[in-house]
Amino acid sequence: MKTKPARIATIQPRLRIRVGDEVALGPGKAELLQWVKQTGSISEAARKMGMSYMRAWKLIQIMNQCFREPVVLTSRGGKDKGGAEITKLGRKSLKLYQKMENDSLRVCERSWQQLEQLLKL
Amino acid sequence: MKTKPARIATIQPRLRIRVGDEVALGPGKAELLQWVKQTGSISEAARKMGMSYMRAWKLIQIMNQCFREPVVLTSRGGKDKGGAEITKLGRKSLKLYQKMENDSLRVCERSWQQLEQLLKL
């Protein structure tokens, strides 16, 4: 006999930063940047996120065009389609983005506790 | 001769509240709730948001199922496909959601000013 699992309520603060018509940084691009930082490779980062290399590469191109300087530098060649390195500006941007996400979550805590009480769980 | 318009950078805090697999409340549903509150009509609210009546109705059904009590009550009939009324619980939920959005924006202000400096505008 199966028992009905309890429903879990979650809150996700998702910050979207736009420059003109482009999304310079959002949840997906920030995660991609984090994976490039960790793996030093666009293809590895793409694999971790279950997206194609081409898609990851395009997202990085958009980010690079939205910031004053590139957030990721790539070198061509090699079996990994070339290595990738997050720049100093990339690290700084990611850190600020993650700080804003964490700050948002923290500032919402009390209201979220109240709202959670109103949900059917 | 056309001059290139300056690019504007914006930050949008988007909160997504999940109950199990459903999104109980997010930017779209919160806006819909706000319009129902203002117009007292699902079809008017849908029109304001450029969505079909059916879509708006479905979103409201999802919200109603995610909360302990309905957030919107509808009455059938009439040329407006029946009136709609936001409930006390609906108002409270919307208020908490909007407070969290505003709090998020405020808490991000300083980091956002720093991040904005890194963007190509």
Side-chain angles (χ1 to χ4, degrees), chain A residues 7-12 14-18 20 65-68 100 104 108 111 115 117-120, chain B residues 8-12 14-20 65-68 93 100 104 108 111 115 117-120:
Chain A
R7 297 206 298 179
I8 290 170
T10 56
I11 186 166
Q12 297 171 299
R14 298 159 65 87
L15 297 166
R16 188 171 288 171
I17 289 156
R18 288 183 176 276
Q65 285 158 17
C66 286
F67 283 85
R68 288 188 181 278
M100 289 194 289
S104 287
C108 287
S111 298
L115 186 53
Q117 299 299 317
L118 307 178
L119 297 167
K120 194 197 288 167
Chain B
I8 290 171
T10 56
I11 186 166
Q12 296 170 300
R14 298 159 65 88
L15 297 166
R16 186 172 289 171
I17 288 156
R18 288 182 176 277
V19 174
Q65 285 156 17
C66 286
F67 284 86
R68 287 188 181 279
S93 304
M100 290 194 289
S104 288
C108 288
S111 299
L115 186 53
Q117 300 299 316
L118 308 179
L119 296 168
K120 194 197 288 167

mmCIF file of all heavy atoms in Angstrom, chain A residues 7-12 14-18 20 65-68 100 104 108 111 115 117-120, chain B residues 8-12 14-20 65-68 93 100 104 108 111 115 117-120:
data_model
loop_
_atom_site.group_PDB
_atom_site.id
_atom_site.type_symbol
_atom_site.label_atom_id
_atom_site.label_comp_id
_atom_site.label_asym_id
_atom_site.label_seq_id
_atom_site.Cartn_x
_atom_site.Cartn_y
_atom_site.Cartn_z
ATOM 1 N N ARG A 7 3.416 16.950 1.035
ATOM 2 C CA ARG A 7 3.857 17.949 0.072
ATOM 3 C C ARG A 7 4.777 18.936 0.774
ATOM 4 O O ARG A 7 4.534 19.354 1.898
ATOM 5 C CB ARG A 7 2.653 18.671 -0.530
ATOM 6 C CG ARG A 7 1.772 17.697 -1.295
ATOM 7 C CD ARG A 7 0.996 18.378 -2.361
ATOM 8 N NE ARG A 7 0.076 19.390 -1.857
ATOM 9 C CZ ARG A 7 -0.690 20.117 -2.645
ATOM 10 N NH1 ARG A 7 -0.639 19.963 -3.951
ATOM 11 N NH2 ARG A 7 -1.521 20.995 -2.138
ATOM 12 N N ILE A 8 5.823 19.284 0.091
ATOM 13 C CA ILE A 8 6.804 20.186 0.673
ATOM 14 C C ILE A 8 6.683 21.549 -0.009
ATOM 15 O O ILE A 8 6.568 21.632 -1.226
ATOM 16 C CB ILE A 8 8.228 19.616 0.518
ATOM 17 C CG1 ILE A 8 8.383 18.390 1.427
ATOM 18 C CG2 ILE A 8 9.284 20.660 0.868
ATOM 19 C CD1 ILE A 8 9.654 17.612 1.196
ATOM 20 N N ALA A 9 6.692 22.591 0.811
ATOM 21 C CA ALA A 9 6.633 23.946 0.260
ATOM 22 C C ALA A 9 8.035 24.547 0.264
ATOM 23 O O ALA A 9 8.774 24.404 1.235
ATOM 24 C CB ALA A 9 5.692 24.810 1.076
ATOM 25 N N THR A 10 8.389 25.178 -0.828
ATOM 26 C CA THR A 10 9.696 25.830 -0.912
ATOM 27 C C THR A 10 9.540 27.231 -1.488
ATOM 28 O O THR A 10 8.586 27.518 -2.208
ATOM 29 C CB THR A 10 10.663 25.058 -1.835
ATOM 30 O OG1 THR A 10 10.061 24.919 -3.127
ATOM 31 C CG2 THR A 10 10.982 23.686 -1.282
ATOM 32 N N ILE A 11 10.491 28.080 -1.161
ATOM 33 C CA ILE A 11 10.527 29.405 -1.779
ATOM 34 C C ILE A 11 11.874 29.561 -2.485
ATOM 35 O O ILE A 11 12.906 29.185 -1.952
ATOM 36 C CB ILE A 11 10.295 30.535 -0.753
ATOM 37 C CG1 ILE A 11 10.197 31.882 -1.471
ATOM 38 C CG2 ILE A 11 11.362 30.549 0.329
ATOM 39 C CD1 ILE A 11 9.650 32.988 -0.600
ATOM 40 N N GLN A 12 11.822 30.047 -3.711
ATOM 41 C CA GLN A 12 13.043 30.282 -4.470
ATOM 42 C C GLN A 12 13.103 31.741 -4.882
ATOM 43 O O GLN A 12 12.248 32.199 -5.628
ATOM 44 C CB GLN A 12 13.045 29.450 -5.766
ATOM 45 C CG GLN A 12 13.040 27.961 -5.581
ATOM 46 C CD GLN A 12 12.814 27.264 -6.905
ATOM 47 O OE1 GLN A 12 11.787 27.444 -7.549
ATOM 48 N NE2 GLN A 12 13.775 26.479 -7.338
ATOM 49 N N ARG A 14 14.531 34.210 -7.267
ATOM 50 C CA ARG A 14 15.228 34.165 -8.549
ATOM 51 C C ARG A 14 15.453 35.584 -9.019
ATOM 52 O O ARG A 14 14.503 36.301 -9.292
ATOM 53 C CB ARG A 14 14.403 33.391 -9.571
ATOM 54 C CG ARG A 14 14.169 31.939 -9.175
ATOM 55 C CD ARG A 14 12.976 31.367 -9.900
ATOM 56 N NE ARG A 14 13.199 31.307 -11.329
ATOM 57 C CZ ARG A 14 13.783 30.290 -11.950
ATOM 58 N NH1 ARG A 14 14.180 29.235 -11.267
ATOM 59 N NH2 ARG A 14 13.969 30.311 -13.242
ATOM 60 N N LEU A 15 16.713 35.976 -9.108
ATOM 61 C CA LEU A 15 17.024 37.341 -9.533
ATOM 62 C C LEU A 15 17.366 37.351 -11.008
ATOM 63 O O LEU A 15 18.134 36.520 -11.482
ATOM 64 C CB LEU A 15 18.213 37.876 -8.741
ATOM 65 C CG LEU A 15 17.991 37.997 -7.237
ATOM 66 C CD1 LEU A 15 19.311 38.204 -6.531
ATOM 67 C CD2 LEU A 15 17.047 39.146 -6.932
ATOM 68 N N ARG A 16 16.773 38.275 -11.718
ATOM 69 C CA ARG A 16 17.059 38.399 -13.145
ATOM 70 C C ARG A 16 17.616 39.791 -13.403
ATOM 71 O O ARG A 16 16.963 40.785 -13.097
ATOM 72 C CB ARG A 16 15.781 38.171 -13.944
ATOM 73 C CG ARG A 16 16.009 38.092 -15.428
ATOM 74 C CD ARG A 16 14.775 37.664 -16.143
ATOM 75 N NE ARG A 16 14.487 36.252 -15.917
ATOM 76 C CZ ARG A 16 13.358 35.653 -16.290
ATOM 77 N NH1 ARG A 16 12.401 36.352 -16.860
ATOM 78 N NH2 ARG A 16 13.178 34.375 -16.077
ATOM 79 N N ILE A 17 18.816 39.832 -13.964
ATOM 80 C CA ILE A 17 19.452 41.110 -14.264
ATOM 81 C C ILE A 17 19.455 41.323 -15.763
ATOM 82 O O ILE A 17 19.996 40.509 -16.508
ATOM 83 C CB ILE A 17 20.884 41.146 -13.686
ATOM 84 C CG1 ILE A 17 20.764 41.248 -12.160
ATOM 85 C CG2 ILE A 17 21.686 42.312 -14.231
ATOM 86 C CD1 ILE A 17 21.942 40.750 -11.428
ATOM 87 N N ARG A 18 18.826 42.391 -16.175
ATOM 88 C CA ARG A 18 18.713 42.685 -17.601
ATOM 89 C C ARG A 18 19.597 43.849 -17.999
ATOM 90 O O ARG A 18 19.739 44.819 -17.259
ATOM 91 C CB ARG A 18 17.271 43.061 -17.961
ATOM 92 C CG ARG A 18 16.314 41.914 -17.944
ATOM 93 C CD ARG A 18 14.919 42.374 -18.395
ATOM 94 N NE ARG A 18 14.028 41.243 -18.476
ATOM 95 C CZ ARG A 18 13.927 40.430 -19.535
ATOM 96 N NH1 ARG A 18 14.640 40.674 -20.617
ATOM 97 N NH2 ARG A 18 13.107 39.406 -19.518
ATOM 98 N N GLY A 20 19.410 46.097 -21.325
ATOM 99 C CA GLY A 20 18.621 46.258 -22.550
ATOM 100 C C GLY A 20 17.667 45.084 -22.664
ATOM 101 O O GLY A 20 16.918 44.800 -21.738
ATOM 102 N N GLN A 65 29.062 39.693 -23.453
ATOM 103 C CA GLN A 65 28.683 40.930 -24.133
ATOM 104 C C GLN A 65 27.989 41.933 -23.208
ATOM 105 O O GLN A 65 27.933 43.123 -23.503
ATOM 106 C CB GLN A 65 27.756 40.609 -25.318
ATOM 107 C CG GLN A 65 28.513 40.021 -26.506
ATOM 108 C CD GLN A 65 27.604 39.228 -27.419
ATOM 109 O OE1 GLN A 65 26.388 39.363 -27.367
ATOM 110 N NE2 GLN A 65 28.198 38.384 -28.255
ATOM 111 N N CYS A 66 27.425 41.429 -22.128
ATOM 112 C CA CYS A 66 26.670 42.304 -21.218
ATOM 113 C C CYS A 66 27.552 42.987 -20.181
ATOM 114 O O CYS A 66 27.160 43.994 -19.591
ATOM 115 C CB CYS A 66 25.577 41.513 -20.506
ATOM 116 S SG CYS A 66 24.181 41.120 -21.579
ATOM 117 N N PHE A 67 28.737 42.409 -19.937
ATOM 118 C CA PHE A 67 29.621 42.991 -18.930
ATOM 119 C C PHE A 67 30.725 43.814 -19.606
ATOM 120 O O PHE A 67 31.012 43.633 -20.790
ATOM 121 C CB PHE A 67 30.229 41.881 -18.060
ATOM 122 C CG PHE A 67 29.261 41.338 -17.047
ATOM 123 C CD1 PHE A 67 28.375 40.328 -17.383
ATOM 124 C CD2 PHE A 67 29.217 41.867 -15.759
ATOM 125 C CE1 PHE A 67 27.454 39.833 -16.442
ATOM 126 C CE2 PHE A 67 28.309 41.385 -14.826
ATOM 127 C CZ PHE A 67 27.427 40.376 -15.171
ATOM 128 N N ARG A 68 31.304 44.700 -18.851
ATOM 129 C CA ARG A 68 32.371 45.586 -19.363
ATOM 130 C C ARG A 68 33.534 44.791 -19.950
ATOM 131 O O ARG A 68 34.165 45.216 -20.914
ATOM 132 C CB ARG A 68 32.914 46.464 -18.236
ATOM 133 C CG ARG A 68 31.958 47.555 -17.810
ATOM 134 C CD ARG A 68 32.624 48.525 -16.837
ATOM 135 N NE ARG A 68 31.671 49.532 -16.427
ATOM 136 C CZ ARG A 68 31.383 50.621 -17.141
ATOM 137 N NH1 ARG A 68 31.986 50.843 -18.284
ATOM 138 N NH2 ARG A 68 30.487 51.481 -16.700
ATOM 139 N N MET A 100 23.240 38.477 -3.241
ATOM 140 C CA MET A 100 21.874 39.010 -3.355
ATOM 141 C C MET A 100 20.842 37.897 -3.184
ATOM 142 O O MET A 100 19.819 38.087 -2.533
ATOM 143 C CB MET A 100 21.693 39.725 -4.697
ATOM 144 C CG MET A 100 22.455 41.038 -4.760
ATOM 145 S SD MET A 100 21.953 42.099 -6.160
ATOM 146 C CE MET A 100 22.624 41.201 -7.537
ATOM 147 N N SER A 104 18.272 37.883 -0.113
ATOM 148 C CA SER A 104 16.835 37.845 -0.392
ATOM 149 C C SER A 104 16.162 36.753 0.418
ATOM 150 O O SER A 104 15.127 36.959 1.041
ATOM 151 C CB SER A 104 16.579 37.564 -1.875
ATOM 152 O OG SER A 104 16.897 38.686 -2.642
ATOM 153 N N CYS A 108 13.374 37.355 3.514
ATOM 154 C CA CYS A 108 12.012 36.842 3.310
ATOM 155 C C CYS A 108 11.577 35.866 4.403
ATOM 156 O O CYS A 108 10.400 35.490 4.462
ATOM 157 C CB CYS A 108 11.914 36.122 1.966
ATOM 158 S SG CYS A 108 11.938 37.228 0.553
ATOM 159 N N SER A 111 8.278 36.494 6.614
ATOM 160 C CA SER A 111 7.051 36.508 5.806
ATOM 161 C C SER A 111 6.778 35.127 5.223
ATOM 162 O O SER A 111 5.622 34.699 5.110
ATOM 163 C CB SER A 111 7.172 37.526 4.661
ATOM 164 O OG SER A 111 7.347 38.818 5.162
ATOM 165 N N LEU A 115 3.469 32.875 5.274
ATOM 166 C CA LEU A 115 2.805 32.434 4.052
ATOM 167 C C LEU A 115 2.681 30.907 4.005
ATOM 168 O O LEU A 115 1.675 30.357 3.564
ATOM 169 C CB LEU A 115 3.578 32.963 2.831
ATOM 170 C CG LEU A 115 2.964 32.728 1.450
ATOM 171 C CD1 LEU A 115 1.525 33.230 1.387
ATOM 172 C CD2 LEU A 115 3.776 33.420 0.371
ATOM 173 N N GLN A 117 2.149 28.938 6.340
ATOM 174 C CA GLN A 117 1.018 28.501 7.158
ATOM 175 C C GLN A 117 -0.301 28.497 6.366
ATOM 176 O O GLN A 117 -1.252 27.844 6.744
ATOM 177 C CB GLN A 117 0.830 29.432 8.370
ATOM 178 C CG GLN A 117 2.006 29.498 9.319
ATOM 179 C CD GLN A 117 2.339 28.166 9.934
ATOM 180 O OE1 GLN A 117 1.440 27.430 10.333
ATOM 181 N NE2 GLN A 117 3.618 27.824 9.965
ATOM 182 N N LEU A 118 -0.331 29.273 5.293
ATOM 183 C CA LEU A 118 -1.565 29.414 4.515
ATOM 184 C C LEU A 118 -1.671 28.362 3.403
ATOM 185 O O LEU A 118 -2.701 28.239 2.752
ATOM 186 C CB LEU A 118 -1.651 30.814 3.895
ATOM 187 C CG LEU A 118 -1.476 31.989 4.865
ATOM 188 C CD1 LEU A 118 -1.531 33.309 4.104
ATOM 189 C CD2 LEU A 118 -2.557 31.963 5.946
ATOM 190 N N LEU A 119 -0.584 27.613 3.208
ATOM 191 C CA LEU A 119 -0.566 26.609 2.137
ATOM 192 C C LEU A 119 -1.128 25.273 2.607
ATOM 193 O O LEU A 119 -1.054 24.933 3.787
ATOM 194 C CB LEU A 119 0.874 26.423 1.634
ATOM 195 C CG LEU A 119 1.518 27.655 0.986
ATOM 196 C CD1 LEU A 119 3.016 27.445 0.816
ATOM 197 C CD2 LEU A 119 0.880 27.977 -0.350
ATOM 198 N N LYS A 120 -1.659 24.541 1.654
ATOM 199 C CA LYS A 120 -2.201 23.210 1.945
ATOM 200 C C LYS A 120 -1.078 22.200 1.745
ATOM 201 O O LYS A 120 -0.695 21.904 0.614
ATOM 202 C CB LYS A 120 -3.342 22.906 0.973
ATOM 203 C CG LYS A 120 -4.207 21.712 1.387
ATOM 204 C CD LYS A 120 -5.024 21.215 0.238
ATOM 205 C CE LYS A 120 -6.169 22.169 -0.109
ATOM 206 N NZ LYS A 120 -6.785 21.847 -1.396
ATOM 207 N N ILE B 8 19.681 50.152 -20.604
ATOM 208 C CA ILE B 8 19.301 50.298 -19.205
ATOM 209 C C ILE B 8 19.420 48.954 -18.508
ATOM 210 O O ILE B 8 19.018 47.922 -19.052
ATOM 211 C CB ILE B 8 17.863 50.854 -19.096
ATOM 212 C CG1 ILE B 8 17.851 52.308 -19.554
ATOM 213 C CG2 ILE B 8 17.334 50.747 -17.681
ATOM 214 C CD1 ILE B 8 16.469 52.889 -19.706
ATOM 215 N N ALA B 9 20.007 48.977 -17.333
ATOM 216 C CA ALA B 9 20.135 47.746 -16.551
ATOM 217 C C ALA B 9 19.067 47.718 -15.463
ATOM 218 O O ALA B 9 18.808 48.731 -14.813
ATOM 219 C CB ALA B 9 21.515 47.662 -15.914
ATOM 220 N N THR B 10 18.426 46.580 -15.318
ATOM 221 C CA THR B 10 17.402 46.445 -14.279
ATOM 222 C C THR B 10 17.614 45.143 -13.516
ATOM 223 O O THR B 10 18.196 44.192 -14.039
ATOM 224 C CB THR B 10 15.979 46.407 -14.878
ATOM 225 O OG1 THR B 10 15.917 45.346 -15.836
ATOM 226 C CG2 THR B 10 15.613 47.712 -15.550
ATOM 227 N N ILE B 11 17.119 45.128 -12.294
ATOM 228 C CA ILE B 11 17.129 43.884 -11.524
ATOM 229 C C ILE B 11 15.688 43.561 -11.132
ATOM 230 O O ILE B 11 14.921 44.445 -10.749
ATOM 231 C CB ILE B 11 18.042 43.979 -10.281
ATOM 232 C CG1 ILE B 11 18.141 42.607 -9.606
ATOM 233 C CG2 ILE B 11 17.578 45.049 -9.300
ATOM 234 C CD1 ILE B 11 19.263 42.514 -8.600
ATOM 235 N N GLN B 12 15.313 42.319 -11.336
ATOM 236 C CA GLN B 12 13.966 41.876 -10.962
ATOM 237 C C GLN B 12 14.081 40.727 -9.982
ATOM 238 O O GLN B 12 14.618 39.680 -10.333
ATOM 239 C CB GLN B 12 13.212 41.359 -12.189
ATOM 240 C CG GLN B 12 12.938 42.375 -13.262
ATOM 241 C CD GLN B 12 12.418 41.693 -14.525
ATOM 242 O OE1 GLN B 12 13.085 40.862 -15.116
ATOM 243 N NE2 GLN B 12 11.208 42.035 -14.925
ATOM 244 N N ARG B 14 12.366 37.761 -8.498
ATOM 245 C CA ARG B 14 11.199 36.957 -8.812
ATOM 246 C C ARG B 14 11.128 35.809 -7.827
ATOM 247 O O ARG B 14 12.014 34.961 -7.799
ATOM 248 C CB ARG B 14 11.291 36.419 -10.232
ATOM 249 C CG ARG B 14 11.336 37.524 -11.283
ATOM 250 C CD ARG B 14 11.932 37.035 -12.574
ATOM 251 N NE ARG B 14 11.113 36.015 -13.192
ATOM 252 C CZ ARG B 14 10.106 36.253 -14.025
ATOM 253 N NH1 ARG B 14 9.786 37.492 -14.336
ATOM 254 N NH2 ARG B 14 9.412 35.288 -14.545
ATOM 255 N N LEU B 15 10.092 35.799 -7.031
ATOM 256 C CA LEU B 15 9.954 34.748 -6.021
ATOM 257 C C LEU B 15 9.020 33.673 -6.530
ATOM 258 O O LEU B 15 7.949 33.972 -7.058
ATOM 259 C CB LEU B 15 9.387 35.332 -4.723
ATOM 260 C CG LEU B 15 10.267 36.375 -4.049
ATOM 261 C CD1 LEU B 15 9.472 37.109 -2.986
ATOM 262 C CD2 LEU B 15 11.492 35.728 -3.437
ATOM 263 N N ARG B 16 9.440 32.432 -6.383
ATOM 264 C CA ARG B 16 8.600 31.326 -6.812
ATOM 265 C C ARG B 16 8.329 30.434 -5.611
ATOM 266 O O ARG B 16 9.260 29.951 -4.970
ATOM 267 C CB ARG B 16 9.301 30.548 -7.914
ATOM 268 C CG ARG B 16 8.461 29.475 -8.527
ATOM 269 C CD ARG B 16 9.135 28.890 -9.725
ATOM 270 N NE ARG B 16 9.155 29.812 -10.857
ATOM 271 C CZ ARG B 16 9.844 29.599 -11.969
ATOM 272 N NH1 ARG B 16 10.574 28.530 -12.092
ATOM 273 N NH2 ARG B 16 9.790 30.467 -12.961
ATOM 274 N N ILE B 17 7.052 30.251 -5.317
ATOM 275 C CA ILE B 17 6.663 29.420 -4.180
ATOM 276 C C ILE B 17 6.063 28.127 -4.691
ATOM 277 O O ILE B 17 5.089 28.138 -5.433
ATOM 278 C CB ILE B 17 5.683 30.184 -3.267
ATOM 279 C CG1 ILE B 17 6.475 31.267 -2.532
ATOM 280 C CG2 ILE B 17 5.007 29.248 -2.267
ATOM 281 C CD1 ILE B 17 5.665 32.411 -2.081
ATOM 282 N N ARG B 18 6.689 27.038 -4.311
ATOM 283 C CA ARG B 18 6.232 25.730 -4.778
ATOM 284 C C ARG B 18 5.561 24.950 -3.665
ATOM 285 O O ARG B 18 5.985 24.996 -2.519
ATOM 286 C CB ARG B 18 7.414 24.896 -5.277
ATOM 287 C CG ARG B 18 7.985 25.353 -6.589
ATOM 288 C CD ARG B 18 9.119 24.432 -7.034
ATOM 289 N NE ARG B 18 9.611 24.817 -8.329
ATOM 290 C CZ ARG B 18 9.044 24.437 -9.481
ATOM 291 N NH1 ARG B 18 8.008 23.627 -9.486
ATOM 292 N NH2 ARG B 18 9.530 24.846 -10.629
ATOM 293 N N VAL B 19 4.528 24.200 -4.055
ATOM 294 C CA VAL B 19 3.926 23.214 -3.159
ATOM 295 C C VAL B 19 3.957 21.908 -3.931
ATOM 296 O O VAL B 19 3.248 21.767 -4.929
ATOM 297 C CB VAL B 19 2.484 23.589 -2.782
ATOM 298 C CG1 VAL B 19 1.843 22.464 -1.982
ATOM 299 C CG2 VAL B 19 2.456 24.880 -1.987
ATOM 300 N N GLY B 20 4.803 21.003 -3.507
ATOM 301 C CA GLY B 20 5.002 19.770 -4.273
ATOM 302 C C GLY B 20 5.502 20.140 -5.655
ATOM 303 O O GLY B 20 6.481 20.873 -5.791
ATOM 304 N N GLN B 65 -6.007 25.322 -5.266
ATOM 305 C CA GLN B 65 -5.688 23.981 -4.775
ATOM 306 C C GLN B 65 -4.453 23.960 -3.884
ATOM 307 O O GLN B 65 -4.258 23.025 -3.118
ATOM 308 C CB GLN B 65 -5.483 23.024 -5.957
ATOM 309 C CG GLN B 65 -6.792 22.615 -6.623
ATOM 310 C CD GLN B 65 -6.594 22.176 -8.060
ATOM 311 O OE1 GLN B 65 -5.481 21.877 -8.478
ATOM 312 N NE2 GLN B 65 -7.673 22.142 -8.828
ATOM 313 N N CYS B 66 -3.608 24.969 -4.012
ATOM 314 C CA CYS B 66 -2.354 24.987 -3.250
ATOM 315 C C CYS B 66 -2.510 25.607 -1.867
ATOM 316 O O CYS B 66 -1.677 25.389 -0.991
ATOM 317 C CB CYS B 66 -1.277 25.744 -4.019
ATOM 318 S SG CYS B 66 -0.621 24.826 -5.422
ATOM 319 N N PHE B 67 -3.566 26.408 -1.694
ATOM 320 C CA PHE B 67 -3.775 27.057 -0.403
ATOM 321 C C PHE B 67 -4.834 26.305 0.415
ATOM 322 O O PHE B 67 -5.651 25.566 -0.147
ATOM 323 C CB PHE B 67 -4.185 28.520 -0.615
ATOM 324 C CG PHE B 67 -3.029 29.406 -0.993
ATOM 325 C CD1 PHE B 67 -2.639 29.537 -2.323
ATOM 326 C CD2 PHE B 67 -2.307 30.086 -0.025
ATOM 327 C CE1 PHE B 67 -1.551 30.330 -2.677
ATOM 328 C CE2 PHE B 67 -1.222 30.891 -0.367
ATOM 329 C CZ PHE B 67 -0.840 31.010 -1.702
ATOM 330 N N ARG B 68 -4.799 26.519 1.706
ATOM 331 C CA ARG B 68 -5.743 25.851 2.620
ATOM 332 C C ARG B 68 -7.190 26.128 2.246
ATOM 333 O O ARG B 68 -8.063 25.299 2.411
ATOM 334 C CB ARG B 68 -5.521 26.336 4.059
ATOM 335 C CG ARG B 68 -4.261 25.809 4.689
ATOM 336 C CD ARG B 68 -4.187 26.159 6.163
ATOM 337 N NE ARG B 68 -2.945 25.662 6.737
ATOM 338 C CZ ARG B 68 -2.771 24.401 7.124
ATOM 339 N NH1 ARG B 68 -3.752 23.534 7.040
ATOM 340 N NH2 ARG B 68 -1.601 24.014 7.616
ATOM 341 N N SER B 93 -2.205 36.488 1.406
ATOM 342 C CA SER B 93 -1.116 35.830 0.677
ATOM 343 C C SER B 93 -0.437 36.802 -0.284
ATOM 344 O O SER B 93 0.789 36.858 -0.369
ATOM 345 C CB SER B 93 -1.661 34.644 -0.132
ATOM 346 O OG SER B 93 -2.337 33.752 0.712
ATOM 347 N N MET B 100 7.538 40.425 0.409
ATOM 348 C CA MET B 100 8.796 39.711 0.178
ATOM 349 C C MET B 100 9.517 40.252 -1.055
ATOM 350 O O MET B 100 10.732 40.401 -1.047
ATOM 351 C CB MET B 100 8.542 38.208 0.052
ATOM 352 C CG MET B 100 8.147 37.569 1.374
ATOM 353 S SD MET B 100 8.218 35.752 1.353
ATOM 354 C CE MET B 100 6.830 35.366 0.300
ATOM 355 N N SER B 104 13.081 42.059 -0.796
ATOM 356 C CA SER B 104 14.200 41.527 -1.577
ATOM 357 C C SER B 104 14.890 42.638 -2.353
ATOM 358 O O SER B 104 16.111 42.751 -2.355
ATOM 359 C CB SER B 104 13.719 40.467 -2.575
ATOM 360 O OG SER B 104 13.368 39.287 -1.913
ATOM 361 N N CYS B 108 18.794 44.045 -1.689
ATOM 362 C CA CYS B 108 19.782 43.868 -2.774
ATOM 363 C C CYS B 108 20.405 45.178 -3.223
ATOM 364 O O CYS B 108 21.368 45.178 -3.998
ATOM 365 C CB CYS B 108 19.125 43.212 -3.989
ATOM 366 S SG CYS B 108 18.743 41.478 -3.749
ATOM 367 N N SER B 111 24.386 45.778 -3.172
ATOM 368 C CA SER B 111 25.107 44.854 -4.060
ATOM 369 C C SER B 111 24.767 45.140 -5.520
ATOM 370 O O SER B 111 25.623 45.040 -6.405
ATOM 371 C CB SER B 111 24.747 43.400 -3.741
ATOM 372 O OG SER B 111 25.101 43.073 -2.431
ATOM 373 N N LEU B 115 27.137 45.709 -8.680
ATOM 374 C CA LEU B 115 27.074 44.859 -9.869
ATOM 375 C C LEU B 115 26.803 45.689 -11.124
ATOM 376 O O LEU B 115 27.359 45.423 -12.188
ATOM 377 C CB LEU B 115 25.995 43.782 -9.670
ATOM 378 C CG LEU B 115 25.881 42.703 -10.745
ATOM 379 C CD1 LEU B 115 27.215 42.033 -11.009
ATOM 380 C CD2 LEU B 115 24.866 41.642 -10.335
ATOM 381 N N GLN B 117 27.826 48.530 -11.838
ATOM 382 C CA GLN B 117 29.077 49.150 -12.305
ATOM 383 C C GLN B 117 29.861 48.233 -13.236
ATOM 384 O O GLN B 117 30.719 48.686 -13.990
ATOM 385 C CB GLN B 117 29.980 49.507 -11.111
ATOM 386 C CG GLN B 117 29.378 50.483 -10.114
ATOM 387 C CD GLN B 117 29.046 51.825 -10.745
ATOM 388 O OE1 GLN B 117 29.858 52.356 -11.516
ATOM 389 N NE2 GLN B 117 27.885 52.369 -10.470
ATOM 390 N N LEU B 118 29.627 46.940 -13.138
ATOM 391 C CA LEU B 118 30.392 45.960 -13.915
ATOM 392 C C LEU B 118 29.757 45.694 -15.272
ATOM 393 O O LEU B 118 30.341 45.011 -16.112
ATOM 394 C CB LEU B 118 30.523 44.651 -13.133
ATOM 395 C CG LEU B 118 31.062 44.755 -11.705
ATOM 396 C CD1 LEU B 118 31.106 43.397 -11.061
ATOM 397 C CD2 LEU B 118 32.458 45.383 -11.707
ATOM 398 N N LEU B 119 28.543 46.220 -15.477
ATOM 399 C CA LEU B 119 27.827 45.964 -16.729
ATOM 400 C C LEU B 119 28.201 46.974 -17.804
ATOM 401 O O LEU B 119 28.580 48.108 -17.501
ATOM 402 C CB LEU B 119 26.314 46.017 -16.478
ATOM 403 C CG LEU B 119 25.756 44.958 -15.535
ATOM 404 C CD1 LEU B 119 24.322 45.296 -15.139
ATOM 405 C CD2 LEU B 119 25.819 43.568 -16.158
ATOM 406 N N LYS B 120 28.087 46.543 -19.040
ATOM 407 C CA LYS B 120 28.372 47.412 -20.179
ATOM 408 C C LYS B 120 27.078 48.111 -20.579
ATOM 409 O O LYS B 120 26.181 47.477 -21.140
ATOM 410 C CB LYS B 120 28.887 46.584 -21.357
ATOM 411 C CG LYS B 120 29.518 47.417 -22.472
ATOM 412 C CD LYS B 120 29.626 46.607 -23.738
ATOM 413 C CE LYS B 120 30.711 45.542 -23.649
ATOM 414 N NZ LYS B 120 30.634 44.551 -24.730
#
